[in-house]
Amino acid sequence: KAGVTQTPRYLIKTRGQQVTLSCSPISGHRSVSWYQQTPGQGLQFLFEYFSETQRNKGNFPGRFSGRQFSNSRSEMNVSTLELGDSALYLCASSLAVAGNFQETQYFGPGTRLLVL
Amino acid sequence: KNEVEQSPQNLTAQEGEFITINCSYSVGISALHWLQQHPGGGIVSLFMLSSGKKKHGRLIATINIQEKHSSLHITASHPRDSAVYICAVSPPSNTGNQFYFGTGTSLTVIP
C-alpha cells in the first residue's frame, strides 16, 4: 500500500499570501489529521477530519482551515500568511474504525513552508 | 504548563548501551503514543499503548496509568536509532484524534 503523500514538499510564500497544502491518506483510511511543527513550539495539533467533517480542532486562529473530500483526501489552507507560519506541516491518516479513536497514526513526509 | 513532559531533552549514548526515555503527562488519557522522527522530518509511530507494556524488536514501551508516566527503552542501541523521540497523548473523547505532544528527546548513538 502506498503511504501518506503530501504535496508540495517545499513552498516559499510571502507575508499576506495564502497557501493550500494537500494530503492523500493511505487507501482505506478515513481520518486525516494536520499538525504544525516549529523549532519553538514543537508539534501542535491543528485539526482532524473524518467523513468530510471537522471532528476536532486545536488552538489555532481562523486563518487556518481545512477540508476533506469524499475520497478522504484533505487540504489545509492558511490565509494571510505571517512569518510565524513558517513550519513543517504534517498530515497523518488512520483507519478511524467507528467507536475507536485509539489508533496508530501514519504520517506523511510533510510540507516545509517558508514565509518571507 | 505543558501537558506532556519528556526527559531527557538530549541524550548521547555509545553503541550497545541500554537507553531509557521518560514521559510524564498531567491530563487524563485514552492512549499514549511514542513517535520517532528522523532528520528530514518523517515521523513513524512506534507504539500506541493504554496500559502495560509493548515490545517490538529492541524497543520496549511501558506505561503506568496511576502514575501518569511512560518509558521508552531501547536495548542494544545502534547508530540508526539516532532520532528524535516524541511522546504524545490523546485525551479521552468519544470522537476523533487529538494529541498533546512532548517536546521530544534527541538521541545520538555513537559507534
Side-chain angles (χ1 to χ4, degrees), chain A residues 43-111:
Chain A
L43 266 167
Q44 296 183 89
F45 170 75
L46 278 157
F47 30 64
E48 184 245 356
Y49 284 86
F50 173 74
S51 291
E52 302 178 62
T53 301
Q54 187 180 88
R55 255 197 322 196
N56 282 291
K57 189 176 189 303
N59 297 322
F60 277 81
R63 300 185 298 107
F64 292 81
S65 63
R67 59 178 176 167
Q68 187 180 34
F69 302 95
S70 58
N71 61 357
S72 294
R73 189 177 70 86
S74 178
E75 289 181 346
M76 69 161 281
N77 182 276
V78 188
S79 62
T80 318
L81 284 165
E82 301 176 359
L83 296 178
D85 297 332
S86 294
L88 179 67
Y89 290 89
L90 293 149
C91 81
S93 73
S94 66
L95 280 168
V97 174
N100 179 7
F101 76 102
Q102 299 178 50
E103 299 178 329
T104 297
Q105 299 287 297
Y106 295 86
F107 286 82
T111 294

Side-chain angles (χ1 to χ4, degrees), chain B residues 1-4 24-30 68 89-92 100:
Chain B
K1 182 183 179 295
N2 292 331
E3 290 83 3
V4 183
S24 296
Y25 53 92
S26 58
V27 296
I29 68 167
S30 60
K68 295 188 174 179
V89 300
S90 47
Y100 297 111

Side-chain angles (χ1 to χ4, degrees), chain B residues 30-109:
Chain B
S30 60
L32 182 143
H33 301 246
W34 281 103
L35 310 173
Q36 180 193 56
Q37 185 171 31
H38 280 284
I43 292 179
V44 173
S45 179
L46 297 174
F47 294 103
M48 183 191 62
L49 61 166
S50 54
S51 65
K53 176 180 174 178
K54 287 190 176 180
K55 184 176 189 293
H56 185 252
R58 295 179 295 105
L59 302 178
I60 303 166
T62 63
I63 188 169
N64 185 318
I65 297 294
Q66 288 71 32
E67 295 185 4
K68 295 188 174 179
H69 181 269
S70 175
S71 293
L72 176 67
H73 305 289
I74 305 175
T75 62
S77 59
H78 190 276
R80 64 175 175 266
D81 297 327
S82 298
V84 175
Y85 293 83
I86 301 167
C87 172
V89 300
S90 47
S93 173
N94 58 359
T95 59
N97 295 289
Q98 190 167 28
F99 291 98
Y100 297 111
F101 295 91
T103 52
T105 294
S106 179
L107 171 65
T108 302
V109 181

